[in-house]
Amino acid sequence: MAAFLQWRRFVFFDKETVKDPAENGKNFVLPIGVSACDSGRGHIVLGDILPGIWFLTRSLQLTSFQAYKLRVTHLYQLKQHSILVSVGQDEQGINPLVKVWNLDKRDSGSPLCTRIFPAIPGNKPTEVSCLSVHENLNFMAIGFTDGSVVLTKGDITRDRHSKTLTLHEGTSPITGLAFRQAGKVTHLFVAALEKVLCYTLSVKEYPRLDLDTHGCALNCSALTDPSQDSQFIVAGDDCVYLYQPDERGPCFAFDGHKLLAHWHRGYLLLSHSGSEFGSRETSPTEKQVLTVYDLDNKFIAYSASFDGVIDVLAEWGSFYVLTHDSKMYVLQEKDTQTKLEMLFKKNLFVMAINLAKSQHLDSDGLSEIFRQYGDHLYIKGDHDGAIQQYIRTIGKLEPSYVIRKFLDAQRIHNLTAYLQALHRQSLANADHTTLLLNCYTKLKDSSKLEEFIKSSESEVHFDVEIAIKVLRQAGYHSHAVFLAERHAHHEWYLKIQLEDLKNYQEALRYIGRLPFEQAESNMKRYGKTLMHHVPEGTTLLLKRLCTDYQPSRDSASSEEFIPIFANNPHELREFLEHMIEVEPRSSQGVYDTLLELRLQDWAHEQDPENKKILQEAALSLLKSDNTVFDKALVLCQMHSFKEGVLYLYEKGKLYQQIMHYHMQNEEYGKVVEACKRYGEQEVCLWEQALGYFARKEEDCKTYISEVLQHIEQNNLMPPLLVVQTLAHNSTATLSVIKDYLINKLQRESQQIEDDERKIRQYREETAHLRAEIQELRTSAKIFQKTKCSMCNSPLELPSVHFLCGHSFHQHCFESYAESEAECPTCTPGNRKVMDMLRAQDQKRDLHDHFTRQLRCSNDGFSVVADYFGRGVFNKLTLITDTPGGKAGTGSLEADLQRDLLMHTKRNA
């Protein structure tokens, strides 16, 4: 219970007497004998003891119409509909009538009355004490002085669509009624002089719940706004009570006899007096105190005395007080900023904040109040309280305004609290994160530091990278590592582990768990460092990266990691051997590097057995076809690896280099062996070998003889050139080439004899052919073939015979002959002869042209080279006449040859 005397008083309303603009600023005068009033829909409704209803507009224009014959006692203006409900009398006696008016429709200039019905419960004569209508137009409740409540359910504007029943009967006069709507549930609060109760109208039986055993005077109850949960206010003499449909809520100790209670926009208006129930009519001039309470913020917004208050109405954004002396006063609420300034002057910042919230002040306005409150507390020395207010300005007030105030080392706790709140709202920048972490480190508050960095990922409100940098700089490496690992800042994690903590094994383990691309890039960056400190583990990880890295199953290029092993040849050899074993199709760089390592081992090895093993290992790489020829050759030459050099020369068909290699090493026997082995591919090797031995001053007769023997057998050099070559050797005598020359002469003599014998043979064959040609020209040809030359079956008619002596079945000839004029058997040979003749004719013309062009050209060598490429100097087989033959005869024989080659088709 809040004590009334402890509440602060303010003047948040301006009181003015309403002036009549039509009367040159004189006080506005109300109609005489106002007995009932209400407001809503942009006007104030007044009922007087004369039977009229008055409407007062905002411009203070009064209009009226006669509603009853005697008087108007009650009015209820609905706020959401242009419907006015009135209670009055048309005749003497206790016979109140309820009339429902539609203000939007007119009947002879007056509002349309849509319904009239008597308001007596059970036909018992009693006066109406209060009236309430539900905004949905489906309920209307009328309270009576005898304690009865009549409920009209249905469309209250029409008789046929509604029914009336007595909801409540009692002995205590009904002083207040109010409908409460919560969702689909409708309640009716009933206040009497001695009790407060509530009916549930959304249930058929209309269940009732008694809320209290004391009530209130007439007009001393009201219903709060929905924002205050639509509570029912009952103003008793000692306290003001608030009720829910099922219980009594809080109460406020406001002393004094209450005559009037109203609720509007969060304010409770109470009129205090010492009169009893119904005394308003008997003492119209009695002084009354009107007080405006703010129940949420616990202060009195206004208080003033008036002469005989009729009622207080809320309309047009202000409160209008109607008094018995026909005056009307207006209470205009000051604007929010003015009220706040009044509170600021009294340093009532908490109250200002509450007021601003209740007035729904925007966030900028609230933030300014918090700032001023914080400044006030800071000046007073309440730094803890100040920082709490500054925290509430986050998002509106520039953080530097607050930070500058608390940079003093003695205020570091407050600064830390502010920076924490700044981060929680995700409004901190990199500088704020740096400052907060520095505060933690200066305070050596490890628990707060851990709480800050170990918050869940969804609650991270800071720049993680900045935090890592600050923690690392401050020496909190374990915290920095935690952040880096948790938020996947792999580079920072590895940098701290390797450079600060020197935890190489952990860094290697971390890289091994990264996704493939990141593991690959970090191994390229830190591989040398890791290889230096943990070579074995680093080598294993590199093997995984380059073969089957899990879980991505990707693989990297092993050649790119070779530089990492610069100072670790043993691990490099192990790595490369693993690669070519697992992946035989590794890059050539892998094979070349491994070859270089094996050659180095071979060159430094002293033990003959091990040297032999290393030699075989190196040769196996050379034979794998994966090394680069040029690089491998250079490596073998650099390490004087003879076997490898010779193998590569042979592989590259560099036979002359093989010979020169043996010549440089004066390996005479191997020079001859090389000639024997590769002489067929390059015949010049024998000539080079002869020249080599000829230049030697040593006794090389044996090798010279062997070379000469091969040259002689294969006719590789002219004898004169052989003699000239050997003339350079002072030790070589005539005896060295004696056998060579004798054999050469014998061979040439034998060749001459063979040529002469062939000449005689060709002459005999030519004479025979001429005789045959002559016979064919002068004698008849008898065909005596009995079998087909194609199928070797007996000839049958029809058949085909040729002068060459071949005969064929006609069907065989047609099946196999390419031409009807040619013998199928002789055609291939004849064509060869004809081709040779045509070639001779063409080349004969080419020779003439060549001779003519050679004579006319300034560059004879270019002409010769051109014709050499065109085949002018190729060896030809010529058909010539017999020696001494005449030109005419030769021409005749040529004609006979052509005739012989022609085929004549005859049918036997």
Side-chain angles (χ1 to χ4, degrees):
M1 179 181 293
F4 166 69
L5 296 177
Q6 296 177 354
W7 286 26
R8 288 184 174 270
R9 293 174 176 268
F10 300 100
V11 182
F12 285 166
F13 288 84
D14 294 324
K15 173 185 175 184
E16 293 181 4
T17 303
V18 178
K19 304 296 183 179
D20 192 344
E23 296 294 334
N24 296 323
K26 293 183 180 180
N27 292 340
F28 180 77
V29 179
L30 293 171
I32 300 174
V34 174
S35 59
C37 54
D38 202 354
S39 64
R41 306 294 293 179
H43 53 245
I44 292 176
V45 187
L46 305 173
D48 55 16
I49 55 177
L50 299 176
I53 295 179
W54 297 80
F55 294 97
L56 178 64
T57 65
R58 188 168 189 175
S59 59
L60 301 182
Q61 297 294 322
L62 276 172
T63 59
S64 65
F65 71 95
Q66 185 174 350
Y68 293 90
K69 295 180 180 179
L70 293 182
R71 66 171 184 164
V72 180
T73 59
H74 296 83
L75 293 172
Y76 193 96
Q77 172 65 57
L78 276 81
K79 303 301 184 288
Q80 300 177 13
H81 303 276
S82 294
I83 299 296
L84 175 66
V85 179
S86 62
V87 178
Q89 293 179 343
D90 280 344
E91 56 186 29
Q92 292 292 340
I94 304 175
N95 52 354
L97 287 177
V98 177
K99 295 184 179 183
V100 180
W101 308 90
N102 188 334
L103 303 182
D104 289 338
K105 297 181 179 180
R106 294 289 169 175
D107 181 13
S108 301
S110 300
L112 176 64
C113 182
T114 62
R115 184 181 181 186
I116 303 175
F117 64 93
I120 300 177
N123 294 323
K124 295 185 297 182
T126 180
E127 294 184 1
V128 174
S129 58
C130 54
L131 170 69
S132 182
V133 182
H134 199 295
E135 288 293 334
N136 63 9
L137 300 179
N138 285 326
F139 293 102
M140 178 168 59
I142 304 173
F144 297 90
T145 56
D146 68 348
S148 301
V149 175
V150 172
L151 177 69
T152 300
K153 183 178 180 182
D155 188 353
I156 65 169
T157 64
R158 299 180 182 181
D159 291 326
R160 290 186 302 172
H161 297 86
S162 64
K163 60 180 180 180
T164 302
L165 56 92
T166 300
L167 179 67
H168 175 75
E169 292 183 348
T171 58
S172 177
I174 304 300
T175 59
L177 296 169
F179 288 100
R180 180 183 189 272
Q181 187 71 38
K184 296 182 179 180
V185 180
T186 305
H187 294 96
L188 174 64
F189 288 105
V190 179
L193 280 177
E194 298 177 354
K195 65 174 60 176
V196 177
L197 52 129
C198 179
Y199 283 92
T200 303
L201 303 182
S202 53
V203 180
K204 290 183 179 181
E205 291 79 11
Y206 304 138
R208 161 185 166 179
L209 179 64
D210 292 343
L211 298 176
D212 219 332
T213 56
H214 54 78
C216 63
L218 188 65
N219 297 325
C220 290
S221 63
L223 191 70
T224 67
D225 300 328
S227 59
Q228 275 77 24
D229 203 20
S230 300
Q231 300 181 84
F232 188 53
I233 297 176
V234 175
D237 290 343
D238 298 328
C239 297
V240 172
Y241 298 93
L242 277 71
Y243 296 93
Q244 293 281 359
D246 54 353
E247 62 179 355
R248 188 177 80 179
C251 64
F252 301 90
F254 299 150
D255 293 335
H257 183 65
K258 315 300 186 305
L259 288 177
L260 188 67
H262 272 294
W263 179 273
H264 182 68
R265 290 194 312 179
Y267 289 119
L268 173 64
L269 287 79
L270 293 180
S271 177
H272 306 269
S273 176
S275 301
E276 297 294 330
F277 173 77
S279 62
R280 185 181 306 170
E281 296 182 359
T282 59
S283 303
T285 60
E286 181 181 357
K287 285 280 186 180
Q288 298 180 18
V289 178
L290 181 65
T291 305
V292 182
Y293 297 94
D294 188 327
L295 298 186
D296 287 339
N297 299 313
K298 307 292 189 298
F299 64 81
I300 297 174
Y302 184 76
S303 182
S305 60
F306 295 88
D307 295 330
V309 176
I310 298 175
D311 207 343
V312 179
L313 303 175
E315 191 64 29
W316 308 311
S318 300
F319 293 123
Y320 289 87
V321 182
L322 283 62
T323 60
H324 284 289
D325 56 3
S326 298
K327 292 182 180 180
M328 185 167 66
Y329 300 90
V330 59
L331 300 180
Q332 292 182 340
E333 186 176 8
K334 298 180 184 294
D335 62 86
T336 303
Q337 191 60 39
T338 302
K339 292 188 286 186
L340 292 176
E341 291 175 357
M342 295 171 64
L343 295 174
F344 293 158
K345 290 179 180 179
K346 298 181 180 181
N347 293 327
L348 300 175
F349 292 98
V350 175
M351 189 170 288
I353 292 169
N354 295 332
L355 175 64
K357 290 181 177 179
S358 64
Q359 297 286 327
H360 304 291
L361 193 66
D362 61 18
S363 57
D364 292 335
L366 279 173
S367 177
E368 179 61 20
I369 299 174
F370 296 141
R371 183 195 66 77
Q372 294 188 38
Y373 190 19
D375 292 346
H376 170 71
L377 295 176
Y378 183 84
I379 294 172
K380 288 177 60 178
D382 184 4
H383 298 102
D384 293 339
I387 205 67
Q388 294 304 317
Q389 298 307 316
Y390 287 136
I391 287 174
R392 302 170 80 176
T393 67
I394 290 176
K396 299 297 181 181
L397 182 63
E398 175 60 38
S400 59
Y401 177 88
V402 179
I403 293 173
R404 283 196 298 267
K405 291 179 178 290
F406 294 91
L407 284 178
D408 190 339
Q410 295 180 352
R411 306 285 174 259
I412 194 170
H413 292 282
N414 303 126
L415 179 59
T416 302
Y418 179 78
L419 292 172
Q420 285 176 333
L422 201 62
H423 282 79
R424 280 195 296 271
Q425 297 188 34
S426 300
L427 295 174
N429 57 29
D431 293 333
H432 299 148
T433 301
T434 303
L435 188 58
L436 176 58
L437 293 174
N438 285 327
C439 288
Y440 284 143
T441 56
K442 288 184 181 298
L443 291 172
K444 301 187 183 303
D445 193 344
S446 298
S447 60
K448 282 287 185 182
L449 184 60
E450 290 188 5
E451 180 183 351
F452 178 74
I453 68 173
K454 293 184 179 180
S455 56
S456 63
E457 294 188 15
S458 60
E459 297 176 356
V460 173
H461 307 292
F462 57 89
D463 189 319
V464 175
E465 187 170 1
I466 293 296
I468 293 172
K469 290 180 181 178
V470 175
L471 291 171
R472 185 191 183 199
Q473 186 177 5
Y476 285 80
H477 297 121
S478 60
H479 296 78
V481 164
F482 172 83
L483 269 183
E485 183 176 13
R486 182 172 188 178
H487 298 282
H489 285 263
H490 310 307
E491 293 183 7
W492 280 108
Y493 181 89
L494 295 172
K495 188 183 290 291
I496 297 171
Q497 290 285 14
L498 295 174
E499 297 178 8
D500 300 326
L501 300 178
K502 310 296 182 184
N503 194 346
Y504 305 104
Q505 192 66 46
E506 176 59 27
L508 189 65
R509 179 199 63 81
Y510 186 83
I511 294 176
R513 295 185 303 159
L514 293 177
F516 172 76
E517 291 80 5
Q518 296 172 356
E520 181 184 20
S521 62
N522 282 293
M523 281 306 294
K524 290 178 180 178
R525 180 174 301 173
Y526 301 109
K528 288 185 178 180
T529 303
L530 293 171
M531 181 62 68
H532 178 70
H533 292 91
V534 280
E536 184 177 351
T538 305
T539 304
L540 289 175
L541 179 55
L542 288 174
K543 289 179 181 178
R544 284 177 51 209
L545 274 175
C546 298
T547 51
D548 189 15
Y549 187 76
Q550 299 293 339
S552 64
R553 290 188 171 273
D554 288 331
S555 59
S557 173
S558 54
E559 187 175 354
E560 296 179 0
F561 294 108
I562 291 177
I564 293 175
F565 297 89
N567 299 317
N568 299 77
H570 176 74
E571 284 75 15
L572 177 58
R573 186 183 304 103
E574 179 186 345
F575 171 71
L576 295 177
E577 289 177 349
H578 173 78
M579 288 307 304
I580 64 173
E581 179 183 353
V582 176
E583 186 58 50
R585 293 180 296 177
S586 296
S587 64
Q588 292 178 335
V590 172
Y591 282 89
D592 292 338
T593 307
L594 183 57
L595 174 62
E596 183 176 5
L597 290 174
R598 290 185 176 179
L599 290 176
Q600 288 176 355
D601 294 341
W602 174 84
H604 293 90
E605 182 61 50
Q606 300 298 325
D607 184 36
E609 294 184 1
N610 291 338
K611 198 174 185 71
K612 183 67 174 176
I613 295 174
L614 292 173
Q615 174 180 315
E616 294 299 326
L619 284 174
S620 66
L621 279 182
L622 293 175
K623 296 176 181 179
S624 65
D625 295 332
N626 289 294
T627 55
V628 178
F629 180 84
D630 295 339
K631 293 182 180 179
L633 183 58
V634 171
L635 289 174
C636 291
Q637 291 173 341
M638 286 175 56
H639 295 87
S640 301
F641 187 51
K642 175 182 177 181
E643 289 76 7
V645 171
L646 293 176
Y647 170 77
L648 291 173
Y649 281 159
E650 183 177 4
K651 180 180 179 182
K653 298 182 179 180
L654 303 176
Y655 306 125
Q656 294 191 36
Q657 280 78 357
I658 295 176
M659 179 112 90
H660 292 160
Y661 184 86
H662 292 313
M663 290 178 178
Q664 290 174 357
N665 292 280
E666 297 186 349
E667 298 172 341
Y668 302 151
K670 291 189 176 180
V671 170
V672 177
E673 182 182 347
C675 289
K676 293 179 179 179
R677 188 171 183 181
Y678 310 114
E680 292 184 3
Q681 287 84 355
E682 290 195 29
V683 294
C684 64
L685 295 181
W686 292 101
E687 183 178 346
Q688 293 176 8
L690 182 62
Y692 169 73
F693 289 124
R695 289 189 295 271
K696 290 294 181 181
E697 295 299 328
E698 296 86 354
D699 187 4
C700 299
K701 294 180 180 180
T702 304
Y703 300 108
I704 293 175
S705 298
E706 190 173 356
V707 172
L708 285 174
Q709 182 181 0
H710 190 85
I711 290 175
E712 177 194 354
Q713 290 176 354
N714 295 279
N715 196 22
L716 300 179
M717 292 176 64
L720 182 58
L721 182 58
V722 172
V723 173
Q724 290 175 347
T725 302
L726 292 175
H728 295 288
N729 192 329
S730 59
T731 62
T733 62
L734 187 59
S735 61
V736 175
I737 61 172
K738 177 183 177 182
D739 294 337
Y740 166 76
L741 293 175
I742 293 173
N743 292 335
K744 186 66 176 177
L745 292 173
Q746 289 177 349
R747 284 177 177 273
E748 289 185 353
S749 298
Q750 183 66 38
Q751 183 66 39
I752 291 172
E753 292 177 0
D754 292 341
D755 291 342
E756 290 177 348
R757 186 175 63 256
K758 287 183 179 179
I759 290 171
R760 289 193 297 270
Q761 178 183 351
Y762 292 154
R763 284 176 178 172
E764 292 175 359
E765 291 177 356
T766 302
H768 177 71
L769 287 174
R770 285 175 177 169
E772 186 176 352
I773 293 171
Q774 182 64 26
E775 183 181 357
L776 289 174
R777 284 184 173 182
T778 59
S779 305
K781 178 70 174 179
I782 299 175
F783 299 103
Q784 296 180 343
K785 283 277 189 178
T786 60
K787 291 187 178 182
C788 177
S789 299
M790 189 66 67
C791 65
N792 206 26
S793 299
L795 282 175
E796 297 177 356
L797 296 179
S799 60
V800 180
H801 304 275
F802 288 91
L803 291 175
C804 61
H806 297 109
S807 299
F808 307 92
H809 291 115
Q810 185 174 359
H811 61 84
C812 289
F813 173 76
E814 291 175 350
S815 300
Y816 292 98
E818 297 180 6
S819 172
E820 293 182 355
E822 295 183 6
C823 173
T825 304
C826 300
T827 294
N830 294 340
R831 285 187 178 176
K832 288 183 180 180
V833 174
M834 296 303 294
D835 290 341
M836 291 172 62
L837 292 173
R838 280 193 294 270
Q840 286 179 338
D841 293 339
Q842 292 176 0
K843 288 186 177 181
R844 185 178 299 111
D845 296 338
L846 195 60
H847 281 292
D848 295 339
H849 183 70
F850 165 71
T851 304
R852 187 166 52 254
Q853 190 172 354
L854 186 61
R855 278 198 307 267
C856 300
S857 176
N858 294 326
D859 187 0
F861 180 79
S862 299
V863 176
V864 173
D866 180 42
Y867 277 83
F868 185 84
R870 294 161 65 181
V872 173
F873 305 109
N874 292 347
K875 185 177 179 181
L876 297 177
T877 303
L878 301 177
I879 300 176
T880 60
D881 295 333
T882 56
K886 296 181 181 179
T889 305
S891 176
L892 178 60
E893 291 180 353
D895 293 337
L896 289 174
Q897 288 179 341
R898 280 191 289 270
D899 291 340
L900 180 61
L901 293 173
M902 298 298 293
H903 304 84
T904 303
K905 177 180 177 183
R906 297 182 181 178
N907 296 329

